[in-house]
Amino acid sequence: MMDRFTPGMRYQAWLREPKNGPTEYRSRTVFEDATPEMLRDFFWDDEFRPTWDTMLASSTTVEECTSSGTMIVRWIRKFPFFCSDREYVIGRRIWNCGKSYYCVTKGVSVPCIPRNNKQKRVELFYSSWCIRPVESRREDGVASACEVLLFHQEDMGIPREIAKLGVKRGMWGAVKKMEPGLRAYQEQRLSGSKLSRPALMAQINTKVTSEHLISLSNGASPVSETPVTHNGGNVAANLKKLLFIGGAVAVVCALTGGGGGALVPPALLGFGKRFVNGGRKREPQETSRTTTQSRTTTT
């Protein structure tokens, strides 16, 4: 679809049309002079995100688990005037494997957030990143750049061809805002500004090994962990759904190496269901109002 660059960033994108379901997108973005940890926090930081993601109208942290870093967030995204705004209820979590981070986000259903008539709920949503250090395009042998591999699909409730056209025309305009946004975020962090609650949660990761991820792709059973629990059990079930394809994405990113335009084979996503029980016992959290309020971390 696209191969563009600025002095501090290169962006490549591909798409695939599955027989069933919405269009699938894959992109590779390389940021010069950036670390995986900084980009991990940058993409997770819902308080800072509106400075570069102008479609994000509001965000609310619904629940969080301070032992696994799992969060449920509610986003309202602005759409063109001829469409109603979209509502997203997203479960998300980060795994750490060596110097790489695997960030998985997925649409979930939460009983405490009923549908409303103001925005259209996006039910089918899946987006994940593999963030890792790579050599700078200066070719100086130093891994001072950072690569972000993205796999994304969602059903926005818009006819496929219209959605594809909108994405294609608006993609670069949205993507090119990320790099100046990242530089502003780096400066803010260097100034010693207090971390937002989402950025603090981004630093709570589940550690895994590459050997374990590869063994999962070969049919091995996942390491047993205490299942996620919550009063009433409903949210726990939804959090487990979040993790269905997390392991698959991690292995796909590890095996593909980020090169080429081939997208993930659907069959490879199936084994991710065995990565479900990756959580620890969760602590119930009260519903919090958005990105302007944060709580003191308990870790």
Side-chain angles (χ1 to χ4, degrees):
M1 285 183 65
M2 187 174 297
D3 187 351
R4 297 198 183 187
F5 63 90
T6 67
M9 178 187 78
R10 182 180 181 183
Y11 179 76
Q12 299 167 290
W14 300 265
L15 67 78
R16 181 176 67 183
E17 297 285 9
K19 291 182 179 179
N20 299 307
T23 304
E24 297 172 345
Y25 295 93
R26 177 185 174 182
S27 67
R28 177 178 183 264
T29 312
V30 177
F31 296 92
E32 296 292 325
D33 302 311
T35 64
E37 291 75 19
M38 185 66 71
L39 276 163
R40 173 201 64 194
D41 297 355
F42 172 68
F43 285 119
W44 229 241
D45 196 331
D46 290 344
E47 292 189 18
F48 188 84
R49 191 180 188 98
T51 66
W52 60 272
D53 182 357
T54 54
M55 287 186 67
L56 184 62
S58 69
S59 64
T60 305
T61 298
V62 180
E63 299 208 16
E64 60 185 35
C65 174
T66 55
S67 58
S68 70
T70 302
M71 300 179 72
I72 294 180
V73 297
R74 176 177 180 262
W75 281 7
I76 303 298
R77 296 186 70 80
K78 293 179 288 187
F79 270 58
F81 68 91
F82 54 85
C83 295
S84 60
D85 290 349
R86 276 5 184 210
E87 177 191 42
Y88 297 76
V89 181
I90 301 169
R92 63 190 193 185
R93 184 174 176 183
I94 301 174
W95 284 265
N96 170 228
C97 180
K99 295 182 180 180
S100 301
Y101 294 92
Y102 301 100
C103 311
V104 180
T105 68
K106 187 177 187 293
V108 296
S109 176
V110 181
C112 67
I113 306 180
R115 293 174 179 272
N116 64 75
N117 296 324
K118 294 182 179 180
Q119 299 93 21
K120 182 178 178 62
R121 175 78 58 88
V122 175
E123 299 282 3
L124 197 165
F125 175 86
Y126 175 74
S127 192
S128 62
W129 305 269
C130 171
I131 302 175
R132 59 190 178 187
V134 293
E135 183 180 352
S136 167
R137 70 181 180 199
R138 294 187 289 266
E139 298 183 350
D140 53 8
V142 179
S144 58
C146 191
E147 174 189 72
V148 180
L149 299 174
L150 169 70
F151 181 81
H152 179 92
Q153 67 174 156
E154 65 177 284
D155 184 355
M156 297 178 286
I158 298 173
R160 176 182 288 199
E161 293 305 315
I162 295 177
K164 281 173 55 181
L165 180 62
V167 169
K168 186 174 183 179
R169 290 190 173 181
M171 180 179 285
W172 179 241
V175 168
K176 67 182 181 181
K177 296 176 183 177
M178 287 195 298
E179 205 251 336
L182 173 63
R183 304 311 171 192
Y185 194 67
Q186 289 173 317
E187 291 180 8
Q188 178 178 291
R189 293 286 290 270
L190 285 173
S191 70
S193 298
K194 183 179 178 181
L195 289 180
S196 69
R197 182 64 181 179
L200 287 170
M201 291 297 295
Q203 298 179 9
I204 305 173
N205 312 142
T206 301
K207 294 188 179 298
V208 292
T209 64
S210 57
E211 292 78 13
H212 178 55
L213 294 176
I214 293 172
S215 72
L216 286 175
S217 68
N218 293 328
S221 298
V223 175
S224 298
E225 295 189 39
T226 305
V228 174
T229 60
H230 184 272
N231 293 339
N234 292 326
V235 176
N238 290 317
L239 285 174
K240 290 178 72 175
K241 292 177 185 177
L242 158 66
L243 310 182
F244 275 4
I245 23 188
V249 173
V251 174
V252 167
C253 291
L255 297 181
T256 59
L263 290 178
V264 183
L268 193 53
L269 295 177
F271 91 90
K273 295 181 180 180
R274 295 191 291 277
F275 211 60
V276 172
N277 293 322
R280 298 288 181 181
K281 185 175 181 181
R282 82 193 315 275
E283 299 174 12
Q285 300 285 334
E286 295 182 358
T287 300
S288 77
R289 208 176 267 241
T290 178
T291 62
T292 59
Q293 297 181 354
S294 60
R295 295 183 292 271
T296 303
T297 182
T298 59
T299 58

